[in-house]
Amino acid sequence: MRDDIMEAICEYLLTIPGGRVVTYKQVAEYLGNPGMARVVGNYLHRNPDPERYPCFKVVNSKGKLSSQFGFGGIDAQKARLEADGVEVSDDYYVDLDKYRYKGV
DNA sequence: TAGATGACTCACA
DNA sequence: ATGTGAGCCATCT
């Protein structure tokens, strides 16, 4: 069933417009269970496929980037976000109040 | 089947 | 902003 969840995560991430980010919890809620925030992170970790899943748009509730990125480290994630128009602080923090994708 | 693990979240200090 | 403790869920061993 993990492919199902993975697909859902993929779709949700693809709905995120450029210059926007979402929290793990948001993805979990989209999957139908806010408690799956952890599982979401787990999946992205076990599926380092940025070509399909823009996981660099996913941050934790504090707006901080993941500690260890699968395809080049957190530094790569920071670069991708900045490239998308998201300001990332030197501490790898993003302003959720401005960049969090609220779903329009 | 059961126990341990983790890219999480929330509350409190 | 950081640290600790508790809760939650699917996967891995």
Side-chain angles (χ1 to χ4, degrees), chain A residues 29-94:
Chain A
E29 286 184 16
Y30 175 79
L31 298 180
N33 191 339
M36 265 176 61
R38 251 180 135 145
V39 181
V40 174
N42 235 322
Y43 271 79
L44 294 174
H45 186 201
R46 305 187 81 73
N47 293 277
D49 200 343
E51 302 284 323
R52 287 170 53 105
Y53 315 101
C55 40
F56 60 87
K57 290 182 177 178
V58 186
V59 300
N60 58 15
S61 62
K62 294 187 183 90
K64 188 153 190 291
L65 308 189
S66 319
S67 46
Q68 285 188 21
F69 218 45
F71 60 93
I74 186 170
D75 185 34
Q77 184 174 11
K78 181 173 179 293
R80 283 304 291 266
L81 287 174
E82 288 182 335
D84 264 9
V86 179
E87 286 186 78
V88 182
S89 68
D90 293 340
D91 289 334
Y92 302 103
Y93 272 90
V94 300

Side-chain angles (χ1 to χ4, degrees), chain A residues 9-46:
Chain A
I9 295 175
C10 177
E11 279 196 54
Y12 184 68
L13 295 183
L14 291 179
T15 64
I16 305 172
R20 286 281 131 102
V21 298
V22 294
T23 68
Y24 288 95
K25 192 175 182 186
Q26 278 183 257
V27 179
E29 286 184 16
Y30 175 79
L31 298 180
N33 191 339
M36 265 176 61
R38 251 180 135 145
V39 181
V40 174
N42 235 322
Y43 271 79
L44 294 174
H45 186 201
R46 305 187 81 73

